[in-house]
Amino acid sequence: MISVKNLVKRFGPTLAVDDVSFAVGQGEVVGFLGPNGAGKTTTIRVLACFHSATSGTAEVAGFDVFSKPVDVRRRIGYLPENVPLYTDLRVEEYLHYRAALKGVARKARKAAVEQAMERCGVLEVRRKLVGQVSRGYRQRVGLADALVARPPILILDEPTSGLDPNQRLRMKSLIRELAEEHTILFSSHILSEVSEVSSRILIINQGKLCADGSLQDLLEHSGSRQLEVTAAMASTELVASMEALSSFSTCTVLGDEGGMVTVSAKVLGSEDPRDAVFAMLREKDVAIRELKLALPTLEEVFREATSGGARLVESAE
Amino acid sequence: MNVVLTTLKKELMSYLFSPVGYIIAVLLYLYRGLEVSMVAAAVSSGGADRDQFSAAYVLQVSSFIMILLVPPILTMRCFAEERRSGSLEVLMTAPVRDWEIVWGKWLAAFIFFVVLWAPTLLILFFMTGSSFLDTDLAFGPVFSGYFGLALVGAMLLAAGCFTSSLTDNQLLASLAAMLINGALIMGPGLLSPYLTGIEGFEATAQTILEQINVYDHLTRWFARGLIDTSQIAFYIGGVCFFLFLSTKALEGRRWK
């Protein structure tokens, strides 16, 4: 549904997006993660046809965003970051106006607006001026606007920013509900909500895409994995044997309890080293009590990816 | 067309719900009423040339205020406000073409401008047949004069849309539009002595200046009941030119 290839966007001397490639398939919910100023909004604005790219290509629903912007916009529902709406219109009027602008037929307009309002929980403020509703409601009005023409793709830029914890919870469950019918690309810098809602995660930092995969993939292939081995072996010998496998960078002795030594080692590369360690210890005929691969948290993956660590891009197909 | 009409409707509602239009209307009607009663009094007392009645009726100080200052005030928020509040992003990411939004906004401003003007004609109807105005006065040129004012207003509103599309500062947009309006209305007259003085260029300069002299069109043509199609084409061309520039200025955001 969304395909981005070698996208580059410069603002004068500033390189905002640097050779980014990714794809979003039908029915996927993809979280676009990155620190502030990483290039998330710029990439999203290119996909929403608000900015052009300096080079590279981007297609949404099979239409090129540069040569067929109107066709692309017909197929997306876009929620911009700060939800800039017309504050002098009532919620209902605003959604009617947007439905008309998006080409929803006059006869179907009323039902479309009602459904979008109901879905996003803004029925109780329908007669209020947009400028008078709370931030949480405004965000939901923005989402109702994105939904009103029932587009197959939703592009949501920081949909939970500025919301209190309860509103954030509601927004997350709403996105989960919408995922049943729409392909969703949403950006955020809050890790927990991305991991809770999305089926795939893209991490962007300083304009570069540095991770692309499901949460499990990212955790399993992260360079922050630790292998903990507890075996009946002298600590120096165990450390030396582990280091000889060249799958680990640093080995630390965590404890020695009744002859059972526990060593923790940072795993290099993306392979699972447990089989190799198990085979090595069996060969030495050593009793093994525990062999545990500790996966990092998403926070650690994010920190690693955004601090110039190993790139975790698996594929951009 | 759907987008143009939707934009037109929404913008027209914004004008109708904004206090600016009503403040302009009240001030205009009060001042215009005063001016017209003075013209009528002069005509009825025989102190004014009856043949010059329509020109005097159309071309009052308020007319020039209305075409010089009011279009920039009406159009300054068109795009500048959208840029400032960020709603331009919401607007331009809907399935719309830039020109549809530009034409919709201009049409709304033009209709509101005409609606502001129209009641000033009512003063004429109320006074006709009274002791102030005879029914045998020539009223045709008054209507052609108003038609001319509407045409000039249409072009200056388009110029206002253009300046508003360049900035997010409404004040700057309105000041720039007032400068353009001033240049369009008075520029040809002011430049005339210099350009027609260039040797070998006199006739060409004279023709060009006559064609683009907005002030001259109003005073010597429309207000006297003369309607020239080349002048109509000039104003329609002016509208298209400024709205084309506005569209390009909006498209410019994509190439930043």
Side-chain angles (χ1 to χ4, degrees):
Chain A
M1 293 297 262
I2 299 175
S3 165
V4 175
K5 281 179 191 153
N6 309 109
L7 191 77
V8 175
K9 177 66 186 172
R10 281 181 181 280
F11 292 105
T14 312
L15 186 60
V17 177
D18 183 8
D19 198 23
V20 165
S21 299
F22 64 88
V24 178
Q26 186 156 12
E28 272 194 298
V29 180
V30 175
F32 203 24
L33 201 59
N36 292 326
K40 303 187 294 285
T41 298
T42 307
T43 308
I44 280 179
R45 281 181 171 172
V46 170
L47 291 174
C49 316
F50 188 65
H51 283 325
S52 67
T54 308
S55 67
T57 59
E59 277 184 10
V60 175
F63 294 97
D64 188 274
V65 295
F66 314 117
S67 57
K68 301 269 182 209
V70 177
D71 291 306
V72 169
R73 291 178 196 153
R74 257 189 247 287
R75 285 155 183 88
I76 60 168
Y78 174 51
L79 175 72
E81 187 175 355
N82 294 315
V83 208
L85 310 175
Y86 294 119
T87 50
D88 55 344
L89 293 180
R90 293 182 196 285
V91 168
E92 199 173 4
E93 287 168 350
Y94 175 74
L95 292 172
H96 269 280
Y97 159 66
R98 295 291 294 174
L101 205 62
K102 291 177 177 187
V104 177
R106 186 184 286 268
K107 280 181 186 168
R109 214 173 287 160
K110 198 166 178 237
V113 170
E114 286 291 326
Q115 198 187 22
M117 284 197 297
E118 196 184 333
R119 194 117 208 231
C120 299
V122 292
L123 280 169
E124 56 269 38
V125 293
R126 63 194 294 168
R127 299 296 301 156
K128 279 196 174 180
L129 290 174
V130 172
Q132 287 177 350
V133 301
S134 68
R135 173 72 201 237
Y137 272 119
R138 224 171 65 185
Q139 205 91 356
R140 282 194 260 168
V141 173
L143 193 60
D145 169 19
L147 285 176
V148 78
R150 295 180 196 168
I153 302 165
L154 293 178
I155 297 179
L156 316 173
D157 194 4
E158 304 269 4
T160 57
S161 78
L163 300 186
D164 67 37
N166 289 334
Q167 291 169 333
R168 197 168 281 174
L169 213 63
R170 261 183 248 129
M171 183 60 87
K172 277 192 285 189
S173 67
L174 187 57
I175 293 174
R176 256 187 242 116
E177 271 176 45
L178 293 172
E180 291 165 16
E181 291 170 34
H182 304 266
T183 300
I184 302 177
L185 174 68
F186 79 99
S187 77
S188 177
H189 57 266
I190 299 165
L191 309 176
S192 58
E193 68 188 31
V194 173
S195 61
E196 283 169 43
V197 176
S198 49
S199 56
R200 219 175 96 216
I201 295 170
L202 303 171
I203 301 180
I204 188 169
N205 185 42
Q206 293 177 343
K208 278 186 181 295
L209 192 70
C210 39
D212 179 355
S214 68
L215 179 62
Q216 198 58 29
D217 281 346
L218 293 183
L219 298 182
E220 283 175 5
H221 293 91
S222 161
S224 303
R225 294 175 304 155
Q226 297 277 339
L227 184 76
E228 274 183 37
V229 185
T230 306
M233 206 173 179
S235 59
T236 47
E237 201 184 337
L238 182 56
V239 167
S241 311
M242 296 271 287
E243 282 175 349
L245 283 173
S246 70
S247 299
F248 308 99
S249 61
T250 46
C251 295
T252 321
V253 179
L254 295 181
D256 185 349
E257 211 173 287
M260 281 292 173
V261 174
T262 305
V263 167
S264 170
K266 192 176 178 193
V267 181
L268 292 173
S270 57
E271 297 300 311
D272 187 340
R274 281 176 293 188
D275 290 345
V277 172
F278 183 77
M280 179 267 290
L281 292 173
R282 286 281 297 167
E283 202 177 286
K284 292 182 191 290
D285 200 20
V286 172
I288 307 163
R289 180 170 290 172
E290 195 174 16
L291 199 57
K292 188 172 82 183
L293 186 65
L295 295 179
T297 60
L298 182 60
E299 275 80 0
E300 285 165 326
V301 173
F302 181 76
R303 248 198 324 272
E304 180 195 335
T306 57
S307 60
R311 283 170 69 109
L312 301 169
V313 181
E314 287 196 321
S315 72
E317 293 305 309
Chain B
M1 207 55 197
N2 166 56
V3 174
V4 176
L5 291 178
T6 305
T7 309
L8 161 67
K9 196 174 148 196
K10 190 249 163 198
E11 291 296 316
L12 211 47
M13 295 303 276
S14 290
Y15 282 122
L16 292 174
F17 287 114
S18 142
V20 177
Y22 295 100
I23 293 169
I24 294 173
V26 167
L27 293 176
L28 170 72
Y29 301 151
L30 283 175
Y31 190 63
R32 185 86 182 164
L34 190 71
E35 282 177 334
V36 171
S37 60
M38 284 163 69
V39 172
V43 169
S44 68
S45 67
D49 185 349
R50 287 167 61 91
D51 296 336
Q52 293 292 313
F53 161 75
S54 49
Y57 184 83
V58 173
L59 301 171
Q60 293 292 324
V61 173
S62 62
S63 309
F64 286 98
I65 290 175
M66 272 299 280
I67 55 169
L68 189 69
L69 303 181
V70 172
I73 293 171
L74 292 182
T75 53
M76 65 184 182
R77 50 179 285 285
C78 272
F79 297 103
E81 174 62 14
E82 301 256 15
R83 273 185 199 274
R84 191 198 57 76
S85 70
S87 55
L88 191 69
E89 187 176 354
V90 180
L91 183 62
M92 303 319 283
T93 49
V96 298
R97 289 172 184 86
D98 295 358
W99 68 263
E100 293 174 318
I101 297 294
V102 169
W103 276 86
K105 282 181 179 269
W106 170 81
L107 261 177
F110 179 62
I111 290 173
F112 191 70
F113 181 75
V114 170
V115 168
L116 267 182
W117 263 113
T120 62
L121 270 176
L122 288 176
I123 305 169
L124 191 68
F125 286 109
F126 288 136
M127 293 175 91
T128 308
S130 69
S131 57
F132 290 104
L133 292 178
D134 300 335
T135 43
D136 61 344
L137 278 167
F139 293 112
V142 173
F143 294 109
S144 74
Y146 267 68
F147 177 65
L149 286 171
L151 279 177
V152 174
M155 184 171 78
L156 302 185
L157 285 165
C161 280
F162 169 56
T163 59
S164 181
S165 68
L166 295 173
T167 174
D168 60 1
N169 186 326
Q170 292 191 47
L171 188 66
L172 201 63
S174 66
L175 287 175
M178 283 173 199
L179 277 176
I180 292 181
N181 293 358
L184 284 168
I185 295 169
M186 290 172 283
L190 293 173
L191 288 174
S192 177
Y194 303 102
L195 293 177
T196 52
I198 302 170
E199 215 170 302
F201 189 60
E202 300 93 339
T204 319
Q206 190 67 37
T207 313
I208 292 172
L209 289 172
E210 269 175 21
Q211 293 296 320
I212 63 167
N213 195 332
V214 174
Y215 184 79
D216 200 43
H217 292 170
L218 281 174
T219 53
R220 288 184 46 220
W221 292 77
F222 290 115
R224 290 184 178 182
L226 301 168
I227 295 176
D228 183 349
T229 45
S230 70
Q231 287 171 7
I232 296 175
F234 169 72
Y235 290 108
I236 293 174
V239 168
C240 294
F241 173 70
F242 282 117
L243 295 188
F244 171 76
L245 291 183
S246 311
T247 309
K248 290 293 149 196
L250 272 189
E251 275 174 13
R253 82 183 183 278
R254 295 191 68 198
W255 303 106
K256 267 186 184 172

